[in-house]
């Protein structure tokens, strides 16, 4: 059974650093991209970036480039999302998800087929 | 970047109703579209991918269609467990979401 299990909720102060995790199991962790998705309170889903654990190739949304760092440790099947200096506006639920690809007729479609349970990050002074 | 415009932002419907949600892309996306359902306090759940392919285990009352820039999610007969928020996704962009509420 494919599972993505995220680390627990965090309460931090502005300016602090943070690293949250997402551990995959039940599939070949190095063969699928893992993405991170932000959901601010009461708002929609935002694509932050993805990483390919096989070689750590990473892509960021322009909105999140330079704001967060995505990494992975394939030896323990875990992906990470980290901040060096949190802001109150980073308060949100963060989801990791496995990216699947379906190709047909020369074009490919990407989607997130398995999701972690989410990690709530609260940043408040 | 491709922009996705999802509509409506919310709708009220009754059990048994046929419900349609639309996503329009700013340029042609060659059926590269997924639909998700999210219930309060839960992670999103994949319903359809490649515009019309039903994810395993998803009830057949959910269907997707479209081509070019315009795509539709249809729930043929709304069930109590379908009241949720629905999102489309094209690659790196999610739609704004459609909240389906009980009339």
């Amino acid at each position: 059974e494919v599972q993505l299990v995220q680390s627990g909720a965090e309460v931090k102060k502005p300016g602090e650093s943070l690293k949250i995790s997402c551990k995959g199991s039940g599939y070949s962790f190095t063969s699928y991209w893992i993405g991170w998705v932000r959901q601010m309170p009461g708002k929609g889903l935002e694509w932050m970036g993805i990483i390919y654990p096989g070689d750590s190739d990473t892509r960021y949304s322009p909105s999140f480039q330079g704001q967060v760092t995505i990494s992975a440790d394939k030896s323990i099947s875990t992906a990470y999302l980290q901040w060096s200096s949190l802001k109150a506006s980073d308060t949100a639920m963060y989801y990791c998800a496995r990216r699947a690809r379906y190709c047909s007729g020369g074009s490919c479609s990407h989607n997130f087929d398995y999701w972690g349970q989410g990690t709530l990050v609260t940043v408040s002074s | 970047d491709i922009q996705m415009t999802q509509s409506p932002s919310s709708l009220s419907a009754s059990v048994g109703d046929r419900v349609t949600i639309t996503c329009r892309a700013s340029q042609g996306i060659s059926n590269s579209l997924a639909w998700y359902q999210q219930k309060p306090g839960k992670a999103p759940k994949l319903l359809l991918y490649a515009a019309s392919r039903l994810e395993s285990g998803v009830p057949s009352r959910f269907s997707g269609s479209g081509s070019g820039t315009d795509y539709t999610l249809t729930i043929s007969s709304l069930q109590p467990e379908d009241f949720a928020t629905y999102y489309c996704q094209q690659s790196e962009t999610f739609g704004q979401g459609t909240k389906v509420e009980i009339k």
Side-chain angles (χ1 to χ4, degrees):
Chain A
E1 178 194 7
V2 174
Q3 282 193 311
L4 295 172
V5 178
Q6 298 185 230
S7 49
E10 302 273 2
V11 179
K12 292 288 191 180
K13 291 182 171 20
E16 292 186 331
S17 62
L18 176 64
K19 192 174 189 177
I20 63 174
S21 66
C22 168
K23 183 173 177 60
S25 62
Y27 74 100
S28 174
F29 187 73
T30 54
S31 299
Y32 289 81
W33 292 79
I34 290 283
W36 288 94
V37 176
R38 183 175 79 174
Q39 187 166 39
M40 298 177 77
K43 301 299 184 182
L45 306 173
E46 299 175 271
W47 193 100
M48 300 177 70
I50 53 174
I51 187 165
Y52 189 72
D55 62 6
S56 291
D57 186 10
T58 309
R59 318 272 172 86
Y60 294 93
S61 162
S63 299
F64 292 94
Q65 178 83 49
Q67 307 304 308
V68 297
T69 301
I70 295 171
S71 61
D73 184 341
K74 62 184 179 182
S75 70
I76 55 172
S77 300
T78 301
Y80 301 96
L81 177 66
Q82 70 180 88
W83 295 258
S84 59
S85 180
L86 286 159
K87 311 181 197 61
S89 58
D90 292 318
T91 294
M93 181 71 82
Y94 293 88
Y95 294 101
C96 65
R98 189 182 81 164
R99 191 176 84 158
R101 184 172 73 163
Y102 174 80
C103 298
S104 175
S107 69
C108 293
S109 174
H110 296 105
N111 58 77
F112 291 127
D113 61 350
Y114 289 91
W115 293 68
Q117 82 276 20
T119 296
L120 180 63
V121 174
T122 303
V123 184
S124 174
S125 54
Chain B
D1 288 358
I2 296 175
Q3 307 301 315
M4 302 300 297
T5 303
Q6 186 174 341
S7 61
S9 57
S10 67
L11 64 89
S12 295
S14 301
V15 172
D17 283 354
R18 181 181 183 88
V19 168
T20 299
I21 298 168
T22 297
C23 259
R24 172 166 288 174
S26 56
Q27 63 191 70
I29 58 171
S30 303
N31 293 343
S32 179
L33 188 83
W35 291 98
Y36 300 87
Q37 175 193 67
Q38 188 180 31
K39 295 182 179 179
K42 299 292 188 183
K45 173 188 173 184
L46 178 66
L47 299 176
L48 296 116
Y49 61 95
S52 62
R53 300 191 71 86
L54 201 64
E55 176 72 349
S56 176
V58 174
S60 59
R61 63 180 179 273
F62 291 93
S63 64
S65 64
S67 63
T69 60
D70 295 332
Y71 296 85
T72 299
L73 170 69
T74 299
I75 309 172
S76 60
S77 177
L78 198 65
Q79 298 302 300
E81 60 268 31
D82 300 337
F83 292 96
T85 301
Y86 294 84
Y87 294 92
C88 64
Q89 180 205 8
Q90 197 288 317
S91 189
E92 302 164 9
T93 306
F94 287 97
Q96 299 90 335
T98 297
K99 187 173 184 179
V100 176
E101 299 175 299
I102 301 172
K103 183 183 277 187

